[in-house]
Amino acid sequence: MSVTVTVADLNQSAPAEEGQTVLDALLAHGIGFAYSCQAGNCGTCRCELVSGDIMELEYSEHALSVDERSRGIVLACRSQVWSDVVVRRLEAESFIVHPSRVLRCKVADMTLLTHDILRLRMDIVTGGPFTFSAGQFASLEFPVVPGIVRDYSMANRPDERQLEFHIRIMPTPESVSGRLAAGLRPGDMVKVSGPLGTAYLRSRHAGAMLCVAGGSGLAPVKSIVETALEEGFDQPVHLYFGARAERDVYFEAELAELQRRFRRFKAHIVLSAPDAQTAPTLLPRRVGLVTEAVAADFPAMKGFKVYIAGPPPMVDAATALVRERGIESRDIHADAFFPAANATKQTAEAR
Ligand code: FES
């Protein structure tokens, strides 16, 4: 029986025999599709399975990771069709891979940005060069808590020499962050492994950008926004920073300065539990949940690329909201910061 294979983003279809692979069917009918090994080893033919039943032939994990598969990505050369199937090509920027490095870095500076967020700046001593995409993270191992690894996002732009991380200090002194806040000193050496994560800046996106950050989720979002603006990204960029109260707000002066320099950039600070404001602020405050502010400002969204980072409930709520507003999963890049007590930060593209 003949079925149909459609490439959604090309709006082209080809007939296929049941059991034929997606790639074979497309190539047999002259539909252009990137491939190389045709044997499940290289990953060139990765694509998103939009709908339909497939049976997958064996492939190498180097070609398609478990994480990618869980996000609905398949290999066209390994996917046999058993019904009408729709696939979509991945955007080129989904393939960015930086060399994996293990760096030894020296602590240059430690500064409290709020009552519980510590900025750590470090110089790379050995193991570089370190290349990454804005929004990615690395695993850090500190000499004061040897053998324990925690994941933190790079807050600096990829072109900046010094690495910057924002670390939320847990109130318990015996926690990893509590111990490093008490014991880490400038001059100490830190092991940094990475880069990791797929929720990174897609510079070639043609539409507007929405960034939603909660707490220290501002770190990757800072890197993404600064990188996009400095690289000349010419579409509107909207940043919503959700914090609990005034004492949790940071990076305000930098956001105000970015807004002054780049007219297409707009920053919103949203407080969920504001105290009585005593001093004037550089940026106005909004009150409520950060997702409520986004919902109020954008009854509809078209063509947006969305980046979300912060506590899991906020990431889930923001992801659900932008999906409701019509943003497709492939345009949502979410980075959920799980509590560090017994888990490291996990990154996942929104599914
Ligand atoms: Fe190499 Fe499909 S072409 S994995």
Side-chain angles (χ1 to χ4, degrees), residues 67 98-101 103 130-140 149-156 158 163-166 191-201 216-217 219-221 223-224 308-309 334-338 343-349:
D67 176 55
H98 297 282
S100 184
R101 305 279 189 204
L103 314 170
F130 185 56
T131 59
F132 67 94
S133 295
Q136 287 193 294
F137 63 93
S139 297
L140 274 58
V149 169
R150 289 285 182 261
D151 295 341
Y152 297 102
S153 300
M154 278 69 81
N156 56 295
L163 298 181
E164 175 178 329
F165 299 92
H166 299 169
K191 183 172 152 187
V192 177
S193 309
L196 302 161
T198 52
Y200 54 78
L201 172 67
S216 58
V221 164
S223 179
I224 286 170
I308 307 167
D335 193 352
F337 290 18
F338 287 82
T344 54
K345 184 163 69 60
Q346 298 176 11
T347 292
E349 294 290 306

Side-chain angles (χ1 to χ4, degrees), residues 81-110:
V81 294
W82 294 96
S83 72
D84 290 346
V85 161
V86 179
V87 297
R88 180 158 35 214
R89 295 176 305 167
L90 299 184
E91 51 186 5
E93 287 182 299
S94 296
F95 292 105
I96 292 176
V97 178
H98 297 282
S100 184
R101 305 279 189 204
V102 178
L103 314 170
R104 276 174 56 77
C105 300
K106 185 189 273 189
V107 176
D109 173 66
M110 298 170 64

